[in-house]
């Protein structure tokens, strides 16, 4: 499964560095984060994320409520992390490859979509996480969906997703 390869390569990139014993303290401090990713990597499913949002919406919102339009717009715009950055065939242990992925994540799209402002948020956040954990950390589907919903309602209130 590609998600397993993705998270395992991220974990390997973190622990596969040549470090002196005194330098291991930082890596061990990040171990909990890596274990979190490994534990939940198989549960990262965009359709499951949308199902959970829809379950919450159905409990509180009638079918004609605007939240349903927001969910439909979000689903039409985003259905896989590959829409933010291409993951296949990437070596997460190579710093130059990680840097290229960060540049790809922050690059301007030829046709702006609702993902455009979100990419502008996640690119520096991912760079910060890379600097802090020495491994590329990408947003979870729920984070992307939440921001898409926010952008949808901001747009309906007369704001621009670019204001995000």
């Amino acid at each position: 499964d590609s998600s397993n390869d993705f998270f395992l390569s991220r974990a390997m990139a973190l622990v596969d560095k040549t470090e002196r014993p005194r330098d291991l303290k930082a890596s061990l401090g990040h171990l909990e984060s890596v274990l979190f990713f490994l534990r939940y990597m198989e549960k990262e499913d965009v359709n499951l994320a949308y199902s959970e949002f829809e379950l919450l919406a159905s409990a509180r919102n009638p079918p004609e409520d605007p939240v349903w339009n927001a969910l439909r717009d979000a689903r039409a715009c985003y259905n896989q992390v590959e829409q933010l950055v291409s993951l296949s065939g990437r070596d997460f242990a190579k710093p130059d490859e990680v840097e290229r992925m960060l540049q790809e994540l922050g690059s301007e799209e030829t046709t702006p979509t609702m993902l455009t402002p979100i990419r502008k948020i996640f690119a520096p956040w991912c760079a910060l996480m890379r600097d802090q954990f020495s491994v590329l950390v990408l947003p979870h589907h729920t984070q992307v969906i939440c921001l898409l919903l926010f952008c949808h309602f901001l747009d309906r209130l007369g704001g621009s997703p670019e204001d995000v």
Side-chain angles (χ1 to χ4, degrees), residues 48-122:
L48 178 60
Y50 279 115
S51 294
E52 290 297 318
F53 276 97
E54 290 163 357
L55 182 66
L56 289 170
S58 67
R60 296 191 171 109
N61 304 284
E64 66 278 359
D65 194 274
V67 75
W68 290 102
N69 289 331
L71 281 167
R72 279 189 290 278
D73 287 353
R75 191 182 281 271
C77 181
Y78 174 80
N79 57 30
Q80 60 180 336
V81 76
E82 294 271 342
Q83 288 174 270
L84 295 174
V85 62
S86 174
L87 304 176
S88 59
R90 294 300 212 3
D91 185 350
F92 296 90
K94 292 184 177 177
D96 59 329
E97 186 71 22
V98 170
E99 189 60 36
R100 279 194 293 277
M101 285 186 278
L102 286 171
Q103 289 173 357
E104 181 182 325
L105 179 62
S107 67
E108 290 290 324
E109 298 165 299
T110 53
T111 305
T113 68
M114 289 294 281
L115 284 175
T116 302
I118 291 171
R119 293 167 68 96
K120 291 178 182 178
I121 292 169
F122 283 132

Side-chain angles (χ1 to χ4, degrees), residues 105-106 114-128 139 143 147-148 150-151 161-164:
L105 179 62
M114 289 294 281
L115 284 175
T116 302
I118 291 171
R119 293 167 68 96
K120 291 178 182 178
I121 292 169
F122 283 132
W125 178 81
C126 290
L128 179 69
Q143 293 169 316
L147 278 176
L148 282 171
F150 176 78
C151 288
E162 292 296 318
D163 296 335
V164 175

Side-chain angles (χ1 to χ4, degrees), residues 14-15 17 19-34 129 131-135:
L14 181 62
V15 298
K17 294 189 284 184
E19 296 183 358
R20 297 179 302 251
R22 66 184 169 110
D23 296 333
L24 287 176
K25 182 178 179 184
S27 290
L28 291 174
H30 302 307
L31 185 59
E32 184 176 352
S33 298
V34 172
M129 293 295 104
D131 294 344
Q132 183 174 355
F133 295 112
S134 300
V135 67

